Amino acid sequence: MDETQRPAGNEMWGGRFAAKPAAIMQEINASIDFDKRLYAEDIAGSKAHAAMLAAQGIISAANEAEIQRGLDLVLGEIEAGKFTFSREREDIHMNVEARLAELIGPAAGRLHTARSRNDQVALDFRLHVKRAFQETESALVRLIEAFLDRAEEHAETVMPGFTHLQVAQPVTFGHHCLAYVEMFARDRSRCRDALARLDESPLGAAALAGTPYPIDRHQTAATLGFSNGPTRNSIDSVSDRDFALEYLSTASILATHLSRLAEEIVIWSTPQFGFVRLSDAFSTGSSIMPQKKNPDAAELVRAKAGRITGALVSLLMVMKGLPLAYSKDMQEDKEQVFDAIDSVGLSLAAASGMVRDMTVDRQAMRRAAGHGFSTATDLADWLVREAGLPFREAHHVTGRAVALAESSGVRLEELPLDVLRGLHPGITQGVFDVLSVDASVKSRRSFGGTAPENVRREIAEWRTRLAAK
């Protein structure tokens, strides 16, 4: 008998079909190779559903006890690596249900009462993404704490601040670290915001219209830890993947921040900059050039951003043309999310490790901070403040001073007073008090500025915030 002509047997929908699907249909239809990752959520959802069915008198207490016992056995087999996943059973739901039937017999058939694979997968996936958000938030806190520790260590370490990757003004490395604290704190906030929105249970929506059974969706929502109770519309419940899109969106912004950090680590660790050194733990060598020590961990974190953002675009394209409610297209929602979850976890761990691991060369940073006439703005501000010039005129005078210093091969603070007075007679010896990089950073005491006292105050504020939440 041809493969496509064999009886459908005990397939879950076999009563409607007289023959098995074509081999290629089975190949494209099966999702067990990746959705087996949802086994813990699937079993937790089934246990909650069985308890509710018994509490509502829909199944007997004896049936529920058998189902709970059997589900615990299945969970134990999977966690022990003794469970055989079958592609013929398509997905994690039917693999678990089939094994449950082998273990406890006919009582297993009552478990699927008042639910569908549509609300079952929506539940499993939502629980999985909820946990991913929580783990991402925790990893972000660890990264923020790493930056706070480095900021505290380097509150007075002077380095060049850049615009256009050109030396702009002196800043402290502690202040630079706090810029990443702000970025990753926003990522953490996005995790928390999205968690509040996804914290509803779709279980009980059934295929799309709800169920005639007297179920208690509030009970299952509470059992499964959904603080906002059950979802309020059965059609939206099974067709919504906003929670997955929000994870990928949040992850994409986070990955962009991580990529910017990784890029700076790559640049800073070059001999041309020499600001930081990564240990052997986060570097690799070359197969042909023995002198090489490559910042591969940072480069890989940088590359993950494209992979994660690609996952977001992929899922947006899957969802953009789907009519309500469920379509099989939505089976293509998981692999990208799973891959992004793994990539985010690895990237955050690597970033935290590199931030804590890297050795900062204070002297290299200080030398670079003095290059490029980085205190030119301080000269212009002094002319406004002490000589009474309008800022635009002060800007012009300062530009001429920079040109003189550049042509003479000296720094601004090395120009003689008489030369400076030749540019404007209002310049006095006091100008040299603001032209050093240390004086420059100490003067930036405006709220959010780079002054060391500001850096220390912000570190204390952020430690208080982290402790409170």
Side-chain angles (χ1 to χ4, degrees):
M1 185 182 295
D2 183 85
E3 178 69 15
T4 60
Q5 298 301 313
R6 291 180 182 173
N10 292 323
E11 297 283 354
M12 70 200 79
W13 31 260
R16 171 65 177 83
F17 292 78
K20 292 184 68 173
I24 193 64
M25 178 61 196
Q26 290 182 314
E27 184 69 21
I28 197 173
N29 193 48
S31 59
I32 188 60
D33 291 344
F34 54 87
D35 69 18
K36 61 186 178 184
R37 178 169 174 151
L38 299 174
Y39 74 88
E41 291 86 356
D42 194 71
I43 291 173
S46 290
K47 289 173 69 68
H49 186 65
M52 180 275 296
L53 292 176
Q56 294 298 105
I58 298 170
I59 65 173
S60 69
N63 282 157
E64 190 226 341
E66 277 297 284
I67 289 169
Q68 298 287 1
R69 182 182 69 82
L71 288 171
D72 286 337
L73 291 173
V74 174
L75 179 62
E77 287 180 355
I78 295 174
E79 291 182 337
K82 297 178 179 178
F83 189 94
T84 301
F85 292 99
S86 168
R87 300 190 88 232
E88 288 190 357
R89 289 167 178 163
E90 291 190 15
D91 56 32
I92 186 61
H93 322 300
M94 297 314 302
N95 269 264
V96 170
E97 186 174 317
R99 180 57 178 151
L100 181 66
E102 291 171 355
L103 290 169
I104 69 171
R110 300 190 181 279
L111 175 59
H112 208 54
T113 305
R115 76 173 180 183
S116 161
R117 280 195 298 171
N118 292 356
D119 62 335
Q120 193 175 356
V121 69
L123 171 70
D124 294 358
F125 198 21
R126 191 177 286 246
L127 283 170
H128 194 78
V129 172
K130 179 179 178 179
R131 179 158 55 88
F133 266 123
Q134 292 167 334
E135 291 173 353
T136 299
E137 184 191 352
S138 296
L140 278 165
V141 170
R142 291 191 290 273
L143 179 56
I144 289 169
E145 288 173 340
F147 270 114
L148 290 175
D149 289 345
R150 297 319 297 263
E152 193 162 38
E153 180 185 354
H154 294 283
E156 297 191 28
T157 299
V158 177
M159 69 173 288
F162 297 92
T163 61
H164 309 277
L165 205 57
Q166 303 292 315
V167 173
Q169 294 176 321
V171 296
T172 64
F173 184 55
H175 192 56
H176 199 98
C177 288
L178 289 179
Y180 282 108
V181 169
E182 295 287 337
M183 284 189 203
F184 294 122
R186 290 194 297 272
D187 292 320
R188 184 191 181 210
S189 176
R190 277 183 279 271
C191 287
R192 295 166 75 91
D193 290 346
L195 272 168
R197 277 186 293 278
L198 76 73
D199 210 10
E200 298 177 336
S201 171
L203 185 59
L208 79 160
T211 175
Y213 294 95
I215 61 173
D216 185 348
R217 294 188 63 207
H218 288 86
Q219 177 184 328
T220 51
T223 300
L224 293 166
F226 288 103
S227 60
N228 294 333
T231 52
R232 302 183 69 86
N233 183 280
S234 59
I235 295 175
D236 181 61
S237 299
V238 299
S239 59
D240 168 40
R241 291 298 183 271
D242 285 6
F243 58 90
L245 288 169
E246 285 205 73
Y247 181 81
L248 293 177
S249 176
T250 299
S252 295
I253 298 171
L254 165 57
T256 300
H257 291 158
L258 288 169
S259 183
R260 295 182 76 179
L261 167 63
E263 173 71 2
E264 294 211 304
I265 291 174
V266 169
I267 292 172
W268 290 346
S269 62
T270 61
Q272 291 80 3
F273 274 73
F275 288 0
V276 303
R277 291 188 304 277
L278 293 177
S279 74
D280 293 352
F282 290 95
S283 306
T284 64
S286 166
S287 63
I288 190 172
M289 295 171 284
Q291 84 281 10
K292 293 293 293 299
K293 188 172 184 180
N294 301 322
D296 281 8
E299 291 171 358
L300 288 167
V301 168
R302 186 174 59 187
K304 294 288 188 186
R307 186 167 177 166
I308 293 166
T309 302
L312 170 62
V313 174
S314 178
L315 185 54
L316 283 168
M317 293 304 99
V318 168
M319 298 301 299
K320 73 174 184 65
L322 298 186
L324 299 177
Y326 180 84
S327 297
K328 192 69 169 182
D329 309 52
M330 293 166 70
Q331 182 169 290
E332 294 295 312
D333 59 359
K334 296 173 193 66
E335 287 179 280
Q336 300 94 328
V337 176
F338 293 162
D339 186 75
I341 290 169
D342 293 342
S343 294
V344 167
L346 275 172
S347 297
L348 282 168
S352 295
M354 286 187 290
V355 169
R356 291 197 179 279
D357 172 85
M358 62 188 183
T359 300
V360 176
D361 190 328
R362 288 179 168 88
Q363 293 308 311
M365 286 186 170
R366 173 173 286 278
R367 285 193 300 271
H371 294 159
F373 311 105
S374 63
T375 58
T377 307
D378 297 276
L379 173 56
D381 288 337
W382 186 92
L383 287 167
V384 171
R385 193 170 56 248
E386 302 297 331
L389 274 65
F391 184 80
R392 285 301 168 202
E393 184 180 348
H395 187 284
H396 181 71
V397 171
T398 301
R400 290 165 57 202
V402 168
L404 271 174
E406 187 174 39
S407 64
S408 302
V410 299
R411 298 182 181 186
L412 270 178
E413 63 269 30
E414 294 172 337
L415 285 173
L417 178 60
D418 60 336
V419 172
L420 290 172
R421 285 181 60 82
L423 299 174
H424 193 278
I427 297 178
T428 68
Q429 184 69 32
V431 75
F432 294 103
D433 293 337
V434 303
L435 292 183
S436 72
V437 292
D438 289 299
S440 178
V441 297
K442 287 178 181 177
S443 72
R444 307 287 171 174
R445 293 187 295 272
S446 59
F447 187 81
T450 191
E453 63 191 78
N454 285 13
V455 171
R456 294 189 177 95
R457 185 167 56 246
E458 282 300 302
I459 292 168
E461 171 66 21
W462 275 112
R463 291 199 191 283
T464 299
R465 289 189 190 185
L466 292 180
K469 295 180 181 180

